[in-house]
Amino acid sequence: MMWDDLASIEPRFAYQGERTRYIAFPLGGIGSGGFSISGSGRLIDWSIRNRPALQGYNGYSHFAIKAEKDGTLVDARVLNGPYDLNPSGAPGIRKMFDGFGHGANRQTLVGVPHFSKVDFYGRFPIADLVFSDEHFPGGVRMTALSPFIPHNDRDSSMPVAMFEFEIVNDTADALTYTLAGTLGNYGANSGTHSFRQQDGISSLHLTSSDKGLPPTQRGDLTIATDAEDVDHTDHHYRGQWFDDLAVYWKEFARPGRLPKRHYDEPRTSKHMSQQPEHGTLGARVTVPPGGRKAVRFVISWNFPEGDVYWAYRDKPDGIIPERQTPSWKNYYATQWPGSNASASDALKRWDALAAATTSFRDGLFDTTLPAEVKDAASATLALLRTATCIRLENGELWAWEGQHTNDGSCEGSCTHVWNYQQALAHLFPAIERTLRETEFTYNQLPTGGLTFRQKLPLGSSFDIIGPCADGHFGAIVKTYRDWKLSGDTDWLRRYWPNVKRAIEYAWSPANPDRWDPDATGILSGRQHQTLDMELFGPNSWLGTIYVAALLATSEMAAALGDTDLSEKTARMGKAGAAYIDDALFNGRWFIQKIDLSDKGVLIPFDVGRAAGVLADGFMETYWSEEFSELKYQMGEGCISDQILGQWHAEVAGIGGFLDAGKVQTALSSVHANNFRPTLRDHFNPCRNYAFEDEAGLLIATYPEGIRQPMVAAPYAEEVWTGIEYMSASHMIMHGLIKEGLDIVRGARDRHDGSKRNPWNDIECGSYYARSMSAWQLVNAFSGLQADMVSGRVTFKPKVDGDYRLFWSAGTGFGTLTRRSGTVSLNVLGGSLDIGEIAVGDHIRQLGDRRHIAAGQSIEIGAMG
């Protein structure tokens, strides 16, 4: 059975057969944690208790449906599809008796009747699943979403998953269907479960019977529906072995209503399989022949306090000592006092929340952007719903780089990783600004340097490694970007003393890395960076970020009346750019200028300081006696983000500063040398994120005639999607559209569902933050520049003829449309306060700044 709106979806977003195998589509709010729905409809990866729980389950939580005719059961099935894990065993709760060698995972309900086919339609932030089986009378469509509304960060942080089921009766008889949601009381062996009906909402509220839990273990879950006719089984049968599931299914798969089982007393024994307690909420609807009806459910959670469980380990993979650790409070817990409140709120405002979320989805997916661009830009947003992100009590974002299976991966909103992402700045700029606010408030050393990993609780300590060059200067560039995108000069003025100290740190005598001691505009010295080691000497990669920061500082200083600093940094930025253009361009690409045989480069920095992330001594780490050569440098290699600072400057609206012809040549060289249509014969001793016949963009290459260091920078042979999307967007911004799309298509073909999860770009773990550089692909095609300080929005589309492009800026989002030569700007959500719109060379003056609300449009004029 096919729904008309799904039939017209682009094939890339219609997942069937093998392409559903690795799907895990995240649900939840920004920074609230959540869970995922698999390609077969299973509820997996329950990361709702303030840490990751990938490949994990919440008992056997699921949805199921049964059909009855005249008091007789016709059929009953779990709303799951075929088993899609290893038949010999998959991860489970217990170290023994679960996993490989113990058969198909029982929590997937593979042993319960389920549907033979599931078609999955994934367009973030909404997933649609169509279930069909020859034995089941009718078809079922599940639409799963959580609010995701650009510029509405409160509603987009709701800890809820919303499910709408449309049941179609394609038989000749009226049928009564019961659609039931079973929810595990995650982590609670003994549950206090309570049913209530209020204001047309029926809910089952689950919390623990254990009164002695510490605050970081306390919380509750709710499953709720606004259906008119509701059954509830507050508790599943308390037994051992497989009793709870066995009794539940016998009671469900028979005609009639669900039993009202309820236990007032706590469970006296522990479940031998470590299953939590479960409860079921069912909605009964009668559907006439040929008719259809909808049922809505919400699952919500509220675990207010999180444990800084990693606080006292001595290294990222170290043993966590058994001692009391600090905690944080979740933002969502300050907005909704419990899971009942957020579930009720979602149901009461369902139409508005779903409509706004759908407006964003359709605004993006109905554009004329290439499918692979829509795929990359939207799919990478999913990590905001996962345990990669935490939203603290006052709304601040704190984040990991990614996730291990049961822990965060690399703490502290790592600036050299989060440097690449552009999604929050454009879609949720208020959240993005909190990253600037916290790093200037809590991460800035007395010397002015910005440490690149933020500790929890905020302000408790500094990271031991110190500032990294890319993250440090990136913070300054992004301050400029965020000021321009918000138009809030008072905000800039508030943090200006911190920004000023940060840029002056580059030439401060207190800077042990001696980045630019003579204030020349040329970055040198020792530079820690995102490859987890140090570069030495001038290089275009980090040097361009320094130049971008200098030029950003100059403009910000001028706006705030700091004339001396403005003139100084403008002069330095110009000199630094000239040096990169003249001294670091080899005719084909930009390089690191260093004599690999010169051990003297290291001597000024051999002061007993730790060698980055390694335990070896400094000289031992960076000098090879065997090869008489510096280690972990790029040298004259062609690196994919060799002019990363130029990209940052263009994205932020500072503009380019390198010779345009050289930029074009360098970007072309990156594509020619580093993009491999197949990696079949590529040697990679590092981590294998792409391999064999897959395509990928390598971090660095050494074409024939170029000296390759014997021990090059770590990861040089790897493929990272965050760098792929960044490089591709930069190419598109400079008219190299085919080249950029080659790279994006290669990355998204690797994430097609049959090989990897489309909504999980991995690097050092799952749901990796760098991948959100993909949002710039959307801006690259529209040529968007938003300056809300002056009230001007500019577009320079990279497409000819008629088009429909997506934009998000200021406090609104919408489309830019050209139809029969006439261009108009449409606001789909939020609002836009502007006085001027420019498209190409065509400028539309609006007089005084105008407020354009959602649903309104501005015609810009006819274009030749």
Side-chain angles (χ1 to χ4, degrees), residues 842-858:
H842 193 97
I843 299 174
R844 170 79 191 274
Q845 299 281 356
L846 303 179
D848 294 334
R849 289 176 76 146
R850 251 172 89 177
H851 180 81
I852 309 171
Q856 296 181 331
S857 63
I858 295 290

Side-chain angles (χ1 to χ4, degrees), residues 277-584:
E277 292 241 65
H278 295 80
T280 297
L281 196 64
R284 288 173 65 88
V285 293
T286 298
V287 185
R292 58 183 65 202
K293 287 193 177 179
V295 177
R296 293 171 171 175
F297 280 88
V298 169
I299 294 175
S300 186
W301 54 95
N302 193 296
F303 291 88
E305 290 193 39
D307 177 19
V308 188
Y309 55 87
W310 61 94
Y312 301 119
R313 62 187 178 191
D314 57 0
K315 55 182 179 177
D317 58 349
I319 296 174
I320 297 175
E322 291 195 14
R323 56 181 291 194
Q324 187 171 353
T325 51
S327 63
W328 80 87
K329 185 172 183 178
N330 279 304
Y331 166 78
Y332 71 73
T334 71
Q335 303 298 306
W336 295 276
S339 60
N340 245 330
S342 47
S344 296
D345 189 22
L347 281 166
K348 290 174 181 177
R349 295 195 293 135
W350 185 296
D351 290 342
L353 293 171
T357 301
T358 302
S359 183
F360 166 64
R361 181 199 68 183
D362 292 349
L364 178 61
F365 281 87
D366 289 349
T367 62
T368 54
L369 289 167
E372 55 267 38
V373 167
K374 289 183 275 192
D375 188 19
S378 65
T380 51
L381 298 175
L383 71 86
L384 294 171
R385 288 177 167 174
T386 75
T388 293
C389 300
I390 294 170
R391 222 174 154 199
L392 302 174
E393 183 172 2
N394 296 314
E396 310 98 330
L397 186 78
W398 187 97
W400 301 92
E401 294 180 23
Q403 298 170 55
H404 304 307
T405 307
N406 295 299
D407 298 271
S409 172
C410 305
E411 69 179 282
S413 311
C414 177
T415 57
H416 61 57
V417 170
W418 279 82
N419 231 8
Y420 287 75
Q421 74 87 14
Q422 296 294 337
L424 281 173
H426 292 90
L427 297 174
F428 297 98
I431 297 180
E432 175 70 28
R433 288 196 298 276
T434 69
L435 289 168
R436 306 290 84 72
E437 294 161 7
T438 54
E439 67 186 328
F440 283 126
T441 303
Y442 303 110
N443 272 27
Q444 192 162 37
L445 298 166
T447 57
L450 293 166
T451 61
F452 67 93
R453 293 196 188 279
Q454 199 166 92
K455 299 294 185 180
L456 286 185
L458 292 176
S460 58
S461 62
F462 291 115
D463 185 71
I464 60 172
I465 295 181
C468 65
D470 42 2
H472 179 96
F473 295 120
I476 298 169
V477 177
K478 290 182 291 187
T479 301
Y480 175 92
R481 178 200 64 192
D482 297 343
W483 166 52
K484 288 290 187 174
L485 287 174
S486 69
D488 189 347
T489 301
D490 288 338
W491 176 82
L492 174 63
R493 187 175 288 109
R494 191 177 316 132
Y495 293 97
W496 177 244
N498 305 80
V499 176
K500 185 174 180 177
R501 287 171 53 218
I503 195 65
E504 290 173 342
Y505 178 75
W507 54 86
S508 168
N511 182 344
D513 292 320
R514 302 177 64 185
W515 283 342
D516 185 12
D518 297 322
T520 62
I522 302 167
L523 184 67
S524 187
R526 164 177 168 156
Q527 305 145 58
H528 192 74
Q529 34 73 21
T530 198
L531 299 182
D532 293 328
M533 298 298 285
E534 279 79 17
L535 289 188
F536 298 91
N539 63 90
S540 63
W541 171 30
L542 303 173
T544 52
I545 306 179
Y546 180 36
V547 170
L550 289 166
L551 298 177
T553 300
S554 178
E555 291 202 34
M556 291 185 286
L560 296 179
D562 195 337
T563 304
D564 289 346
L565 184 62
S566 176
E567 292 177 351
K568 177 178 181 176
T569 49
R571 183 171 61 252
M572 291 174 63
K574 184 177 180 180
Y579 177 85
I580 294 169
D581 260 341
D582 296 340
L584 302 183

Side-chain angles (χ1 to χ4, degrees), residues 557-617:
L560 296 179
D562 195 337
T563 304
D564 289 346
L565 184 62
S566 176
E567 292 177 351
K568 177 178 181 176
T569 49
R571 183 171 61 252
M572 291 174 63
K574 184 177 180 180
Y579 177 85
I580 294 169
D581 260 341
D582 296 340
L584 302 183
F585 187 71
N586 69 2
R588 292 181 287 172
W589 59 81
F590 293 90
I591 63 169
Q592 175 190 15
K593 187 175 182 180
I594 191 166
D595 180 356
L596 294 173
S597 63
D598 183 6
K599 187 176 182 179
V601 169
L602 301 174
I603 292 174
F605 305 102
D606 185 17
V607 292
R609 181 178 163 193
V613 298
L614 301 185
D616 292 338

Side-chain angles (χ1 to χ4, degrees), residues 88-342:
S88 293
I93 295 176
R94 301 168 301 176
K95 291 183 179 179
M96 295 179 69
F97 308 117
D98 283 334
F100 189 78
H102 291 279
N105 190 311
R106 190 169 63 91
Q107 291 167 285
T108 67
L109 303 185
V110 64
V112 182
H114 50 272
F115 285 78
S116 61
K117 184 181 180 184
V118 180
D119 295 331
F120 193 107
Y121 301 87
R123 294 167 296 168
F124 186 87
I126 301 173
D128 293 280
L129 290 79
V130 176
F131 298 87
S132 57
D133 192 286
E134 62 180 2
H135 300 292
F136 188 80
V140 184
R141 171 178 175 172
M142 171 198 287
T143 299
L145 66 101
S146 297
F148 193 92
I149 308 162
H151 307 286
N152 181 346
D153 61 272
R154 179 186 184 271
D155 287 343
S156 300
S157 298
M158 291 181 76
V160 298
M162 301 161 65
F163 299 89
E164 182 168 52
F165 298 90
E166 188 174 18
I167 306 166
V168 177
N169 179 4
D170 61 0
T171 75
D173 301 296
L175 295 174
T176 296
Y177 296 90
T178 298
L179 202 151
T182 291
L183 181 61
N185 193 343
Y186 190 29
N189 174 70
S190 177
T192 298
H193 297 181
S194 56
F195 174 76
R196 76 172 184 177
Q197 290 181 309
Q198 184 177 349
D199 299 329
I201 294 173
S202 301
S203 62
L204 187 57
H205 180 251
L206 316 180
T207 190
S208 175
S209 300
D210 185 350
K211 305 303 181 185
L213 292 174
T216 54
Q217 294 298 314
R218 294 178 192 162
D220 56 274
L221 303 89
T222 294
I223 184 167
T225 180
D226 57 3
E228 294 180 1
D229 188 359
V230 174
D231 288 342
H232 60 101
T233 301
D234 299 351
H235 290 85
H236 285 196
Y237 175 74
R238 284 176 172 170
Q240 292 294 348
W241 293 103
F242 321 117
D243 305 350
D244 50 356
L245 179 57
V247 172
Y248 155 71
W249 191 250
K250 288 175 183 177
E251 293 176 337
F252 181 80
R254 67 187 183 190
R257 292 189 171 273
L258 306 184
K260 289 183 171 63
R261 179 180 295 104
H262 181 87
Y263 298 120
D264 290 322
E265 299 299 322
R267 183 184 175 102
T268 57
S269 63
K270 186 174 180 64
H271 192 288
M272 63 187 291
S273 296
Q274 300 179 25
Q275 291 277 27
E277 292 241 65
H278 295 80
T280 297
L281 196 64
R284 288 173 65 88
V285 293
T286 298
V287 185
R292 58 183 65 202
K293 287 193 177 179
V295 177
R296 293 171 171 175
F297 280 88
V298 169
I299 294 175
S300 186
W301 54 95
N302 193 296
F303 291 88
E305 290 193 39
D307 177 19
V308 188
Y309 55 87
W310 61 94
Y312 301 119
R313 62 187 178 191
D314 57 0
K315 55 182 179 177
D317 58 349
I319 296 174
I320 297 175
E322 291 195 14
R323 56 181 291 194
Q324 187 171 353
T325 51
S327 63
W328 80 87
K329 185 172 183 178
N330 279 304
Y331 166 78
Y332 71 73
T334 71
Q335 303 298 306
W336 295 276
S339 60
N340 245 330
S342 47

Side-chain angles (χ1 to χ4, degrees), residues 655-709:
F657 47 79
L658 298 177
D659 178 271
K662 292 178 180 178
V663 168
Q664 187 95 356
T665 298
L667 293 173
S668 295
S669 293
V670 168
H671 178 268
N673 294 307
N674 295 16
F675 177 68
R676 302 291 168 83
T678 173
L679 294 165
R680 171 64 62 180
D681 296 322
H682 170 59
F683 170 71
N684 177 16
C686 311
R687 300 166 301 183
N688 296 283
Y689 301 129
F691 48 81
E692 295 177 351
D693 288 330
E694 296 174 331
L697 184 76
L698 304 177
I699 289 177
T701 60
Y702 294 83
E704 188 175 353
I706 300 297
R707 178 184 177 185
Q708 180 175 6

